[in-house]
Amino acid sequence: MTALRSVCPFDCPDACGLLVQVEDGRAVKVRGDPEHPYSQGTLCPKMNGYERSVGSPDRLLHPLVRTGAKGEGRFRRASWEEAIQLVAARWKDLAREHGSEAILPYSYAGTMGVVQRNAGHAFFHRLGASRLDRTICSPAKGAGWSQVMGATAGPDPDEVLDSDLVVLWGIHAVATNLHFVQRVKEARRRGARVLLVEVWPSETAAVADRTILVRPGSDGALALGLVHVLAREGLADEAFLAAEAVGWPELRARALAEYPPEAVSRLTGLAPAEIEELARALARARAPFLRVGSGLSRYANGAMTVRCIVSLAAVLGAFGRKGGGCFADASSSQALDLSPVTREDLLPRPTRVVNMNQLGAALAELRDPPIRSMMVYAANPAAVAPDQNAVLAGLAREDLFLVVHERFMTDTARFADVVLPATYSLEHADLYRSYGQYCLQRAQPVVPPPGEAKANWEVFRLLAAAMGFEEPVFRMTEDALIDAVLERLSPSWRAGLDLERLAAGRAVTLRPPAGPRWRTRSGKIELRNDALAEPLPRHLPTHEERGLPLRLVTAPAIHTLNSTFMERPELRERNGGMSLRLSPAEASARGLADGAAVVAWNGLGEATFALRVTPGLPDGIAVAEGVWWLAHAPGARNVNALTAQRLTDAAGGSTFYDNRVDVRGA
C-alpha cells in the first residue's frame, strides 16, 4: 500500500493537505498530511472518507445523450467521439445562425485548482461566447476590503495565536474554516477571549466565550456604533490613525452624529449598554483580531458592511499590533498570473457578461441573441443558483442545448442533452492556492479515472480540436499549463519559496511581498475613499420586503459543502435531513411541532423542510442549513426556491441571506 500526497480541491479556505493510501489503483483511505504547514494532519468531517466519494458506485462512467424529456434523466450511452462531435456540430450551427454569444459557459468552484477550475476560459474566449460573471460566493466581501485597504494583503491567519481578543464576525467557522478554529482554540488556551457576532447561535458558538446576536444585515451599523463609542470615550488609537490612515476626522464626525448606541440598538437589537461594553472590551484588548466571514456580505449592503468592519479594525489600531488585525481572506491570488490558462487575449472582441446569480432571468429574458446553449462544469446551478424556479424553467427549455460535465447525475445533469463524465481531484493534475491561508501546492493524479471520465482541461482540448481551434494552448497538457503559471510567479512572492519542495508535491508557504505597508492609492488606510460615490462608511439598508415576518438565513452545513458531498448518504444523515430551524415562539405561534413537515414560502416559491424547533434561536428568523439535491429533498424544491436574483451593493454578489419567508404546516 502506497501513501501519496494530494490536496483538498473544494471551495473552502483551508485547502488541506492529503495523504492518499492507494491499493491496486484505488484510493482506499484519505487522511490529513501531518507535514502540511496549515492543516497539520487533520481534516473536516466532509473530507474524512473522501475515498467514498471518489469510489462511489454512482459515479458517471461514460458519455450520455438524452433520450427522455428535459429533467427526466433518461439517457443512452455514447462514445466520447460521438458526444464531442455532437456538441461541436451544434455549437457551429448556433454560432453561424445566432452568433457565438448564444452560447454561455456556467462554472464555479467545484474544483479550486487553478487549471481545472479555469479550464474552459481559453476555449470560450476563443469561441467568442458570452462571458460569465462568477460572483455567487462573496465578491462583496472582497470589494469592502479593497475599498478601505486597496490591494493590501490580508494578514497571516496564524497571527491570531498572539491575539488576546478574537472576534469571529459573521462566520460559522466550525462548518467553513475548521483549521482556523483550531488556532482560535489555541489562542484561547493561551488566554485570549473569543467573541462570536452572529445572527443565530450556530455550533461555532461553542468555541466562543460569548455570542452576540444581531439582526440580519445590521453588522455594519454595529461596527459604526462601536466606532461612535470609541470616539466619544477617547478610546480610538489616535496615534495609529494619524500616522497610517486618511479620513479619521470625517469618519469620527459621522459616527458621533449618526450612530449613537440608542440608534444602533434599534437597528441591531442589542441594548445600548451591550454596544458600549463591546466597544470598551475591544479598546482594552492588547491585540484584537477580527475574522470576517462571508455570510454577512450576502445582503444588499454586503460590501458596505465589510467596509465598516474593516474601518473599525483600523480605528482600534489593530493592524499595527502583533497578534491583531482584520482577516477577510488571504491574498494569494495576487501571486499567480493565470493568463496562460485563461487567455483573455483570444477574445475576438468584447462579448456580453452574464451575472451567474441572474441565470434564471438570463435564460428567460436575454435577446440579441437569446442563450441557446450552455455548458456547465464544476457547478450545479439547478441546485445552487438563486431563484430555483426560474433556473429550472430555463433549463427545461427544449430549445436550450445543455452540456454538463459532471461526476454524478446531479439536478443540473438531469436536464442535459449531453452528459460527460468528470474526474475527481485524485485523478488529474493541478495547482492549488488558498483564500484562507498562504500555502501553494502542486498535485499529480494518484489513481486512474474510473470508466471514461476525463478532466475539465482534457474535455476542452477535445472540444477545441473538434471546433478547429489551432492555437498552441489547446495542445498543452495540465502540467505544461502549471509550469507556465509557476514561471510567471511574481518575483516579489517567489522570495524564499522552496521550488523543489513544490515540484515534489509538498505544500510551500507564500510570503506576502515587502513594500508599501498599505497598497492603496494614498498609501494609507482609506477610511475616506474619494474614488467612491460614498466616500465614508455608513450603514445601508438591506432589501426591505414587506408582508413576510421571517428573515431567511441560508447557513452552511457542517457535513456537506453547498451541494457537494450530497452523493454520500452518511453525510446526508449526519446533516439531519433538509431541515428548517425556528425558535420555540415562532413555531408555537404557527402551531408547529418539532419534527413536523413544514413549508417555507415567499413570492418566489416554496420548499418543504423538517422543522427543528431550536431553543436560543432568535425570533424573526428561519435557518436552513445546506443546499440539498432535489433527489434527496422532502419536496420538489430546495432552499434556493426562496432566494432572489438581486445583487449586492458592489461587485455583483449574491444576496442569499437577504430574503424573507413565512412558514406553514405541510
Side-chain angles (χ1 to χ4, degrees):
M1 188 179 295
T2 305
L4 301 173
R5 281 189 165 81
S6 192
V7 189
C8 174
F10 295 112
D11 189 3
C12 167
D14 292 13
C16 300
L18 309 179
L19 287 179
V20 185
Q21 293 180 5
V22 177
E23 187 175 290
D24 298 328
R26 294 184 305 110
V28 297
K29 181 67 176 176
V30 176
R31 57 190 175 90
D33 181 357
E35 294 185 21
H36 191 278
Y38 188 73
S39 57
Q40 300 175 352
T42 60
L43 298 177
C44 72
K46 300 176 276 289
M47 286 302 288
N48 278 313
Y50 183 41
E51 70 278 359
R52 291 195 285 275
S53 291
V54 176
S56 170
D58 296 325
R59 289 279 300 270
L60 295 171
L61 303 178
H62 309 285
L64 303 171
V65 174
R66 178 168 67 94
T67 59
K70 282 281 185 93
E72 189 178 0
R74 283 201 294 128
F75 300 90
R76 65 170 175 83
R77 180 173 169 177
S79 68
W80 269 100
E81 181 179 7
E82 179 191 2
I84 291 294
Q85 291 301 324
L86 174 60
V87 174
R90 192 66 174 270
W91 284 351
K92 288 177 181 178
D93 288 343
L94 287 173
R96 184 172 55 254
E97 295 172 14
H98 303 284
S100 295
E101 287 178 288
I103 302 165
L104 175 71
Y106 195 100
S107 69
Y108 197 61
T111 177
M112 294 292 283
V114 300
V115 172
Q116 306 297 351
R117 180 181 184 182
N118 300 293
H121 286 45
F123 176 87
F124 287 111
H125 287 151
R126 171 63 177 81
L127 180 62
S130 291
R131 289 171 289 166
L132 187 71
D133 198 8
R134 292 172 171 85
T135 55
I136 201 167
C137 187
S138 54
K141 182 166 74 165
W145 170 271
S146 65
Q147 287 167 0
V148 181
M149 306 298 292
T152 304
D156 188 323
D158 282 352
E159 281 286 319
V160 76
L161 295 171
D162 293 315
S163 175
D164 62 335
L165 180 62
V166 182
V167 182
L168 301 172
W169 201 320
I171 182 170
H172 188 356
V174 168
T176 63
N177 200 182
L178 191 59
H179 293 87
F180 186 75
V181 170
Q182 293 175 342
R183 286 155 172 78
V184 171
K185 289 180 177 179
E186 174 60 19
R188 193 181 187 193
R189 189 190 67 78
R190 298 181 185 185
R193 191 173 179 221
V194 180
L195 306 179
L196 173 66
V197 180
E198 254 293 5
V199 299
W200 72 290
S202 70
E203 289 84 350
T204 299
V207 179
D209 295 289
R210 180 183 171 200
T211 298
I212 300 160
L213 298 179
V214 298
R215 290 183 182 136
S218 68
D219 302 82
L222 174 59
L224 292 172
L226 297 172
V227 171
H228 172 102
V229 177
L230 296 171
R232 186 188 70 195
E233 300 188 2
L235 299 175
D237 191 332
E238 297 287 350
F240 176 84
L241 291 165
E244 307 292 349
V246 294
W248 169 233
E250 298 94 322
L251 178 59
R252 183 181 189 277
R254 166 168 277 183
L256 287 172
E258 300 177 25
Y259 298 100
E262 295 76 17
V264 173
S265 174
R266 291 190 291 272
L267 293 168
T268 63
L270 299 177
E274 193 171 7
I275 297 166
E276 293 172 337
E277 177 191 353
L278 177 57
R280 292 166 189 149
L282 287 165
R284 286 193 302 268
R286 169 186 50 81
F289 190 101
L290 280 58
R291 174 63 168 109
V292 183
S294 296
L296 53 73
S297 74
R298 296 183 186 124
Y299 296 87
N301 59 10
M304 184 64 83
T305 291
V306 174
R307 187 180 171 193
C308 292
I309 296 171
V310 176
S311 297
L312 167 65
V315 172
L316 290 166
F319 291 107
R321 307 179 192 180
K322 180 176 174 55
C326 182
F327 186 88
D329 284 322
S331 305
S332 58
S333 62
Q334 297 177 14
L336 301 180
D337 178 357
L338 299 186
S339 62
V341 181
T342 58
R343 295 299 304 270
E344 292 189 18
D345 61 299
L346 295 180
L347 267 172
R349 58 179 178 80
T351 56
R352 69 182 174 192
V353 178
V354 177
N355 188 293
M356 68 186 309
N357 298 301
Q358 298 177 324
L359 177 62
L363 291 174
E365 300 170 10
L366 279 186
R367 299 291 181 267
D368 301 322
I371 295 171
R372 292 298 180 92
S373 182
M374 284 177 60
M375 183 167 178
V376 176
Y377 56 102
N380 184 14
V384 304
D387 197 356
Q388 187 176 52
N389 283 321
V391 172
L392 294 180
L395 296 179
R397 281 173 37 199
E398 280 294 335
D399 66 339
L400 180 75
F401 180 65
L402 179 63
V403 183
V404 176
H405 187 218
E406 250 298 354
R407 296 181 288 250
F408 298 94
M409 188 55 67
T410 61
D411 297 331
T412 305
R414 295 179 65 86
F415 285 88
D417 295 279
V418 177
V419 179
L420 304 173
T423 49
Y424 263 109
S425 62
L426 303 188
E427 301 157 359
H428 58 238
D430 219 328
L431 178 69
Y432 298 89
R433 68 167 189 88
S434 168
Y435 59 90
Q437 40 96 349
Y438 283 100
C439 287
L440 184 69
Q441 190 167 358
R442 185 170 187 165
Q444 294 295 333
V446 298
V447 294
E452 298 180 275
K454 295 184 185 298
N456 288 357
W457 179 247
E458 188 175 1
V459 171
F460 284 108
R461 288 179 64 195
L462 292 173
L463 286 168
M467 296 292 291
F469 298 167
E470 297 181 351
E471 287 77 8
V473 63
F474 298 117
R475 294 189 293 274
M476 294 175 70
T477 65
E478 286 102 331
D479 281 317
L481 285 174
I482 294 169
D483 290 342
V485 170
L486 291 176
E487 286 169 6
R488 290 172 173 249
L489 189 64
S490 168
S492 57
W493 286 81
R494 185 190 290 267
L497 203 62
D498 189 337
L499 296 177
E500 289 186 6
R501 182 181 175 89
L502 180 65
R506 297 173 183 268
V508 299
T509 302
L510 294 163
R511 301 296 179 191
R517 188 177 187 185
W518 317 114
R519 296 181 62 191
T520 61
R521 291 181 309 110
S522 65
K524 295 189 176 185
I525 296 173
E526 295 184 339
L527 302 178
R528 185 192 71 246
N529 187 334
D530 293 327
L532 301 175
E534 291 276 0
L536 291 172
R538 71 181 181 93
H539 172 64
L540 295 178
T542 58
H543 288 300
E544 291 298 328
E545 298 170 277
R546 304 294 180 184
L548 295 177
L550 301 172
R551 281 277 194 180
L552 177 65
V553 178
T554 55
I558 289 178
H559 296 286
T560 53
L561 173 61
N562 300 320
S563 73
T564 305
F565 296 103
M566 284 292 172
E567 72 278 357
R568 283 169 51 190
E570 81 275 12
L571 295 182
R572 300 196 301 269
E573 184 177 344
R574 288 176 199 166
N575 268 344
M578 184 171 146
S579 61
L580 189 76
R581 296 177 185 257
L582 290 179
S583 71
E586 296 288 5
S588 177
R590 292 162 176 79
L592 302 173
D594 186 64
V598 298
V599 173
W601 59 273
N602 60 20
L604 296 171
E606 59 182 45
T608 303
F609 300 83
L611 179 63
R612 295 173 66 182
V613 178
T614 305
L617 194 72
D619 297 340
I621 68 171
V623 179
E625 296 165 273
V627 180
W628 287 74
W629 289 5
L630 298 183
H632 308 306
R637 297 289 184 267
N638 69 22
V639 67
N640 281 319
L642 308 169
T643 57
Q645 299 182 60
R646 298 171 305 206
L647 303 177
T648 52
D649 50 332
S654 61
T655 55
F656 285 122
Y657 278 42
D658 204 349
N659 301 276
R660 285 187 177 272
V661 298
D662 203 350
V663 179
R664 65 173 187 267

